[in-house]
Amino acid sequence: MDDSYFMSQAIEEAKKGLAEGGIPIGSILVKNGLIIGRGHNQRVQHDSVIHHAEMNCLETAGRLTAKDYKDCTIYTTLSPCPMCSGAILLYKIPRVVIGENQTYMGDEAHLKDQGVELTVLRNQECVQLMQDFIKEQPALWNEDISV
Amino acid sequence: MDDSYFMSQAIEEAKKGLAEGGIPIGSILVKNGLIIGRGHNQRVQHDSVIHHAEMNCLETAGRLTAKDYKDCTIYTTLSPCPMCSGAILLYKIPRVVIGENQTYMGDEAHLKDQGVELTVLRNQECVQLMQDFIKEQPALWNEDISV
C-alpha cells in the first residue's frame, strides 16, 4: 500500500462524485496504512459550501483525538484550497499527498510554512478529470473556488 | 444595526449550542445589513469535526457567488481557528468581527496577511461563555481545537 495505491482510492472518490453529477475531487484519510475516512466534493449533491472533498473525508472519519491525527496522511486529488488547508492545520495532519496542483494551486505555501510535509504526484488522471469537468461546467467550478 | 447588535445575535447562537449540550460558539453572516446565515458549533450535536460555528453559519447561508461574499461580514464569538479562517479566505469575505481572542487565538495573522479586516470586540459575555464551558468540559474543548 503506497502513495500510488491511496491516490487511486482518492480518484475512485472523485469518479463517484462525477457519476453523481458533482465536482470530481476525492480524498482519503489514512492512519498507519489503513483508510479511516473517504469523501468527495458535495457542492452539487448536497448544496454544500463546506463539504469539499477533504472536509467530507475528515467528516466521514469522525471525531478523532489529536493523537490519532498525528499518525495520519490525507490524500487529495487536487491541491487543497485555503479552507481544506486550514482544516489540515487545525487537526495537525502532518502529511498531505496531492494528485495535482496544475489546475488549481491551493494554500500549499501556508501548509509548508506551518511544517506540513507535501508530496505532489502530478497525476495525469487527476488533471484530466478536472480539465474535462471545467470545460463542461466552468460556472460550477468558479463557484467552488469563489472566483 | 451595528457590530454590537450582530454580535448579540452570534451570542444567541452560542447559547443555543450550549442549551443543546454543545460547545458555546456562535456565528452570523451579514450581507448589506441583513443576516443571511447563522450557526453554532455542532461537534457534540452531530458528531461533526467540520461544523465549527463559522462553517455551520456559511453552510446555512447556502450557495452564494463570489460577488455575494464580497458584501459580507462574518461575526463569530471566538477567534476563528485555522479551518474557519481558511473558509473565510476561500470565500474572500472581506471583514470578520470577533467576540474575543483571549480564550483562544485563531489564525488571525494569516487573515491579516491576506488583507481581511478584523475587528476584535473583547466582549466579556463571549469570554465568560467559553471560560465556564472549558471549566466544565476541558476534554471536549481540547478535542475541538485538536490539542
Side-chain angles (χ1 to χ4, degrees), chain A residues 43-44 46-52 55-56 58-59 62-67 69 81-87 89-92 104 107 110 114 140 142-147, chain B residues 43-44 46-52 55-56 58-59 62-67 69 81-87 89-92 104 107 110 114 140 142-147:
Chain A
R43 180 169 296 269
V44 171
H46 291 106
D47 283 325
S48 176
V49 307
I50 66 172
H51 279 267
H52 272 191
M55 309 294 290
N56 187 237
L58 291 171
E59 190 75 322
R63 290 168 61 181
L64 305 175
T65 64
K67 198 172 164 297
Y69 288 116
C81 85
M83 172 174 70
C84 298
S85 297
L89 291 174
L90 169 64
Y91 291 116
K92 303 183 187 77
Y104 170 79
D107 209 352
H110 192 43
Q114 303 290 313
L140 199 48
N142 286 341
E143 184 194 318
D144 203 51
I145 53 170
S146 203
V147 294
Chain B
R43 179 169 297 268
V44 172
H46 291 107
D47 283 325
S48 176
V49 306
I50 66 171
H51 278 267
H52 271 190
M55 308 295 288
N56 187 237
L58 291 170
E59 190 75 323
R63 290 169 61 180
L64 305 175
T65 64
K67 199 171 164 295
Y69 287 116
C81 85
M83 173 174 69
C84 298
S85 296
L89 292 174
L90 169 64
Y91 291 116
K92 303 181 188 78
Y104 171 79
D107 209 352
H110 192 43
Q114 302 290 316
L140 201 48
N142 285 343
E143 184 193 319
D144 203 52
I145 53 170
S146 204
V147 293

Side-chain angles (χ1 to χ4, degrees), chain A residues 18 28 49 80 111:
Chain A
L18 189 66
I28 298 286
V49 307
L111 288 169

Side-chain angles (χ1 to χ4, degrees), chain B residues 22-42:
Chain B
I23 303 174
I25 306 172
S27 178
I28 297 286
L29 188 68
V30 173
K31 185 185 168 195
N32 297 327
L34 289 176
I35 296 176
I36 62 167
R38 49 193 313 145
H40 51 270
N41 187 299
Q42 302 286 338

Side-chain angles (χ1 to χ4, degrees), chain A residues 28-147:
Chain A
I28 298 286
L29 188 68
V30 174
K31 184 186 168 196
N32 297 328
L34 289 176
I35 296 176
I36 61 167
R38 49 193 314 145
H40 51 270
N41 187 300
Q42 302 286 339
R43 180 169 296 269
V44 171
Q45 296 91 322
H46 291 106
D47 283 325
S48 176
V49 307
I50 66 172
H51 279 267
H52 272 191
E54 300 90 324
M55 309 294 290
N56 187 237
C57 170
L58 291 171
E59 190 75 322
T60 66
R63 290 168 61 181
L64 305 175
T65 64
K67 198 172 164 297
D68 291 322
Y69 288 116
K70 263 192 194 129
D71 293 326
C72 287
T73 295
I74 191 164
Y75 291 77
T76 174
T77 57
L78 185 67
S79 182
C81 85
M83 172 174 70
C84 298
S85 297
I88 290 162
L89 291 174
L90 169 64
Y91 291 116
K92 303 183 187 77
I93 297 171
R95 182 166 183 251
V96 184
V97 180
I98 297 166
E100 65 115 342
N101 60 11
Q102 172 186 328
T103 303
Y104 170 79
M105 174 59 86
D107 209 352
E108 293 183 18
H110 192 43
L111 288 169
K112 270 187 220 165
D113 276 353
Q114 303 290 313
V116 178
E117 182 191 338
L118 303 182
T119 302
V120 182
L121 299 181
R122 293 180 182 79
N123 179 299
Q124 283 310 305
E125 192 174 3
C126 295
V127 175
Q128 201 60 53
L129 273 165
M130 286 307 295
Q131 294 302 322
D132 292 347
F133 178 77
I134 292 169
K135 204 175 287 175
E136 291 286 324
Q137 304 258 28
L140 199 48
W141 171 236
N142 286 341
E143 184 194 318
D144 203 51
I145 53 170
S146 203
V147 294

